[in-house]
Amino acid sequence: MMSDSLTCAIRELRRRKLRTATTVLGNLLAVMAMVMLASVLVYSRSSKDNVLNNLGTHFLAYVPAPPGTGDAADECFFADPARTSLIPLSTVDQINANKSLVLSASGFLLYRLKDVDKKFVHVGGFDPANPAAVNGSSLQKSDIIAGEFIAPGQKGVCLMEEGFALVRQMRIGERFPIGNKSFKLAGIVRPGIRPAKADVYIDHEEARELISGRLGKPLGPFANIVIVEVASSQIQPKTIEWVKTLLPGCMIDTYACYDPAARVMNMGQKSIAVLLAVIFAGTVLLMARTHWTAINERWRDIGILKSIGWTNSQVVSQIMLESLLQSAVAGLLGGLAAVIVLVVLPLKNFLGSEIAFSTTSSLQMLAAGVVLALVTGLLAAAGPALAAARTTPAESLRR
Amino acid sequence: MNDLIYNAKNLSKSFGAISVLRDLNFAAARNKTHVIIGRSGSGKSTLLSLLAGLDRPTSGAIEFDGAALETRCNEELAQLRRQKIGIIFQSFNLLPSWTAVENVEAVLMHSDIAPDARRKKAVALLSELGLGERLNNLPAELSVGQQQRVAVARTLVNDPKVILADEPTGDVDPELGLEVIKRLVACVKNNGTTLIIATHGLFPLEYADKVWELKDGKLQ
């Protein structure tokens, strides 16, 4: 019996080509729009999440020196503006070992010393091989404005802050004396506003030797600042709290841009959810209208079938099958068209995103589009089909 | 078995404020040809609709084949039309996107008859009516006379107990109209069918067993 309904449904769709094409096209466009918009919104959200996760993931931790330690005119370890105590490198290693919270951590030496002219020079000792140090809050390769960055293991060279180099009239390749050594100027950097900013940056081992000379005793395995790169900005507050337990009384310097950004992003995600709901509702309504129009043209046919002995359930099942067949085709073609357009479009450049567009999410959207089309087709057809079933054959024939 | 296939009492049908049939009584004997004559708009089609179970009366009762008609549910009425009642509409009411043979076959669909068997039956009937060459034509590709013959074939294909014909000769030339009447009357004689014809025009009364006039919503 069902095969009769299917036969009649296919026959009806094939014979009424224009109406079928119009209905399929209407549904196809609705599904295509839905899949495209939803894909773009989901992709946009992923991009934002990606940005958010890498936003403000670095912070500095240092322990201020007890009050009354030293004199303002003395050479000292510092983290602007405070004098600092020293932190064992074993603590830095302990921080570094917690991979659930920390991507990497490195010790940083920031020492204020007087040069030959009795002027203060802020020397920063960092490990060029450590990503936390290089990409962290001290210095980045992208900060170079002239010359080259210090390569891991490279000795006898230094980087100089742009303003300091200008005042000291230093050029690339010239040597700059610090303490009893001189360093070849490899590059000039513009580090911008950073919590731990030095005038001159050198390799951490050379900095250790230099500072040991100034202190008159070996420095030992210590740093005065820990640079931490958090695994994700979303766990930054938790990581900071944990580091504070390892370094009692420590101070934390961070750009702290995660929280406000997260709040804005969260608002954005809610907007996306609302927008998706609106798109979904719009798609359902558009498809429902297309089906309703198609079925409303068939009142007389329905009346004829009922007058020759077709039951309501037989009439309804045929109408539903017609709608489902059209919806399935429209859903598949609409979804495919959307995926093709999305793959062809330079969406990454268009949205200014740094992550590649994922077709996986589009395929999920394609599947969602087909399901949406089928459900909508079913719901949209059910209304007029049941309405047609409720009317007497005579009423249907009179329409 | 009751001699009456139809027995309608105090039948009324209104459409809003318009009263079409008023306390109408109608009794139709089996195996006879009944002709209902009336002017256009007198309610002939409405009466046939009620007799076919296509519509429900505003009041009154219709007994068909010994059982009440108006109290049956829609599914039962559909079954009744499929098995016992054949209808020929004034405008034929063929499905426009179905071919001649498919239109005839439609009555036999959703039944226990195998697709091959019903196709064979429909083809045989259409061929008998001279449409053997037009089996796969759509109604729009057929002349009015041919469409009428398809409608007749559709009515006869399930061997109904009753044929309700609404203006069966209205849209065809007299010669063709007479041919259709003869065929329907032959069903009465050969198959024991009851024929109820509604017409506003001239009808060869020699073919009628009983003639009614529908006037002011009542049969006279």
Side-chain angles (χ1 to χ4, degrees):
Chain A
M1 303 303 170
M2 198 58 173
S3 64
D4 278 345
S5 294
L6 189 61
T7 304
C8 292
I10 292 169
R11 175 195 297 164
E12 190 65 31
L13 295 176
R14 288 178 61 189
R15 298 272 168 80
R16 297 183 188 257
K17 288 188 175 67
L18 185 62
R19 190 182 61 192
T20 305
T22 311
T23 307
V24 169
L25 187 64
N27 289 353
L28 185 152
L29 291 174
V31 171
M32 188 178 166
M34 200 282 295
V35 171
M36 281 186 68
L37 283 169
S39 294
V40 169
L41 286 174
V42 169
Y43 171 63
S44 171
R45 190 176 68 179
S46 305
S47 300
K48 284 177 181 174
D49 283 347
N50 184 50
V51 171
L52 189 62
N53 284 337
N54 292 292
L55 192 66
T57 53
H58 299 90
F59 67 86
L60 303 181
Y62 60 90
V63 181
T69 308
D71 190 287
D74 289 347
E75 295 187 352
C76 65
F77 290 101
F78 80 106
D80 207 18
R83 277 172 174 267
T84 64
S85 299
L86 288 171
I87 299 168
L89 288 180
S90 59
T91 306
V92 178
D93 292 340
Q94 195 181 348
I95 295 171
N96 208 10
N98 189 346
K99 292 304 174 192
S100 65
L101 295 176
V102 175
L103 202 61
S104 62
S106 85
F108 184 56
L109 288 166
L110 189 57
Y111 192 77
R112 182 166 66 193
L113 59 79
K114 287 177 183 169
D115 67 5
V116 288
D117 300 326
K118 304 293 181 190
K119 291 176 184 172
F120 276 131
V121 177
H122 296 167
V123 177
F126 75 108
D127 179 3
N130 189 311
V134 175
N135 299 321
S137 298
S138 61
L139 206 58
Q140 291 184 11
K141 284 182 181 174
S142 59
D143 293 335
I144 283 282
I145 57 170
E148 291 175 351
F149 204 75
I150 299 177
Q154 193 178 6
K155 308 289 183 188
V157 293
C158 70
L159 299 172
M160 197 168 280
E161 195 269 332
E162 180 188 18
F164 188 80
L166 192 68
V167 170
R168 298 299 179 99
Q169 296 181 319
M170 290 294 297
R171 280 193 281 265
I172 300 294
E174 290 181 345
R175 299 195 76 83
F176 183 73
I178 309 174
N180 55 0
K181 282 189 76 175
S182 76
F183 295 84
K184 184 182 170 187
L185 181 57
I188 295 175
V189 293
R190 186 184 291 159
I193 303 168
R194 291 185 187 279
K197 190 171 167 183
D199 297 323
V200 179
Y201 297 88
I202 57 177
D203 180 86
H204 65 134
E205 290 301 335
E206 285 188 304
R208 195 173 306 282
E209 288 171 21
L210 177 71
I211 294 166
S212 294
R214 303 301 286 189
L215 294 173
K217 58 180 180 180
L219 175 58
F222 292 97
N224 69 317
I225 293 171
V226 187
I227 302 168
V228 181
E229 185 178 1
V230 185
S232 159
S233 61
Q234 295 181 41
I235 53 167
Q236 196 194 46
K238 186 181 172 185
T239 311
I240 287 173
E241 288 309 310
W242 175 67
V243 168
K244 280 180 177 177
T245 63
L246 298 178
L247 300 171
C250 76
M251 301 292 288
I252 301 291
D253 270 348
T254 173
Y255 293 117
C257 43
Y258 169 75
D259 280 348
R263 280 197 290 275
V264 171
M265 294 291 190
N266 195 32
M267 284 167 63
Q269 287 191 6
K270 283 177 183 169
S271 308
I272 286 170
V274 170
L275 201 55
L276 274 173
V278 170
I279 291 167
F280 181 80
T283 308
V284 169
L285 286 175
L286 183 63
M287 292 174 71
R289 169 142 181 79
T290 314
H291 281 292
W292 183 272
T293 307
I295 291 168
N296 266 345
E297 290 173 4
R298 305 200 46 209
W299 277 97
R300 192 169 180 80
D301 291 2
I302 291 165
I304 293 170
L305 290 171
K306 288 167 82 171
S307 73
I308 61 172
W310 282 38
T311 61
N312 284 338
S313 54
Q314 288 161 354
V315 170
V316 168
S317 62
Q318 194 196 315
I319 291 173
M320 300 295 261
L321 272 172
E322 285 177 28
S323 282
L324 280 177
L325 287 171
Q326 291 177 104
S327 300
V329 172
L332 202 61
L333 293 181
L336 271 176
V339 172
I340 289 168
V341 170
L342 286 169
V343 169
V344 170
L345 274 182
L347 207 59
K348 185 180 161 186
N349 301 340
F350 187 66
L351 293 177
S353 172
E354 290 180 2
I355 63 169
F357 178 71
S358 161
T359 49
T360 310
S361 62
S362 283
L363 291 174
Q364 288 168 351
M365 286 293 159
L366 168 64
V370 174
V371 172
L372 169 76
L374 288 175
V375 172
T376 309
L378 208 63
L379 292 177
L386 291 173
R390 275 199 300 273
T391 57
T392 64
E395 278 179 87
S396 299
L397 289 169
R398 273 197 293 272
R399 285 196 177 208
Chain B
M1 188 167 61
N2 192 338
D3 283 344
L4 297 178
I5 186 102
Y6 274 113
N7 190 9
K9 289 180 179 170
N10 304 320
L11 208 54
S12 295
K13 179 66 182 176
S14 302
F15 296 99
I18 300 165
S19 180
V20 180
L21 303 177
R22 302 186 192 96
D23 281 333
L24 177 146
N25 291 303
F26 173 70
R30 295 174 191 274
N31 196 21
K32 300 287 182 193
T33 299
H34 304 264
V35 177
I36 300 168
I37 296 173
R39 296 173 66 179
S40 182
S42 60
K44 302 184 297 297
S45 299
T46 303
L47 176 58
L48 290 193
S49 282
L50 296 180
L51 296 176
L54 297 178
D55 212 348
R56 293 183 183 273
T58 308
S59 64
I62 305 171
E63 197 176 274
F64 173 76
D65 208 14
L69 195 68
E70 74 282 357
T71 55
R72 296 189 192 205
C73 69
N74 291 332
E75 300 288 301
E76 288 172 332
L77 288 174
Q79 283 296 108
L80 206 63
R81 284 192 294 274
R82 178 189 295 277
Q83 292 165 357
K84 295 184 176 179
I85 302 172
I87 311 164
I88 300 173
F89 295 95
Q90 183 176 2
S91 52
F92 315 134
N93 278 349
L94 298 176
L95 292 160
S97 56
W98 296 28
T99 63
V101 72
E102 287 164 354
N103 262 285
V104 176
E105 245 187 320
V107 181
L108 305 174
M109 292 185 105
H110 299 293
S111 69
D112 296 332
I113 304 171
D116 286 351
R118 65 192 185 210
R119 172 59 60 109
K120 208 171 169 181
K121 197 170 182 185
V123 169
L125 199 51
L126 284 168
S127 300
E128 200 181 317
L129 289 167
L131 292 172
E133 303 293 316
R134 296 293 198 168
L135 297 174
N136 296 314
N137 285 96
L138 294 173
E141 297 164 347
L142 300 173
S143 70
V144 174
Q146 288 169 331
Q147 288 180 33
Q148 188 188 45
R149 275 182 277 167
V150 174
V152 169
R154 187 178 64 184
T155 305
L156 300 178
V157 76
N158 61 341
D159 303 317
K161 277 192 169 187
V162 176
I163 296 172
L164 301 170
D166 190 3
E167 304 280 10
T169 60
D171 291 329
V172 294
D173 59 70
E175 194 181 331
L176 192 60
L178 187 62
E179 191 186 314
V180 169
I181 288 166
K182 281 181 180 172
R183 176 164 290 281
L184 294 176
V185 170
C187 284
V188 175
K189 288 184 178 167
N190 303 333
N191 305 339
T193 309
T194 304
L195 177 63
I196 300 173
I197 295 177
T199 178
H200 71 279
L202 293 172
F203 184 85
L205 293 177
E206 64 269 26
Y207 294 104
D209 295 308
K210 174 86 175 170
V211 179
W212 309 73
E213 186 184 6
L214 183 57
K215 195 175 178 184
D216 299 327
K218 291 186 177 182
L219 284 173
Q220 294 167 357

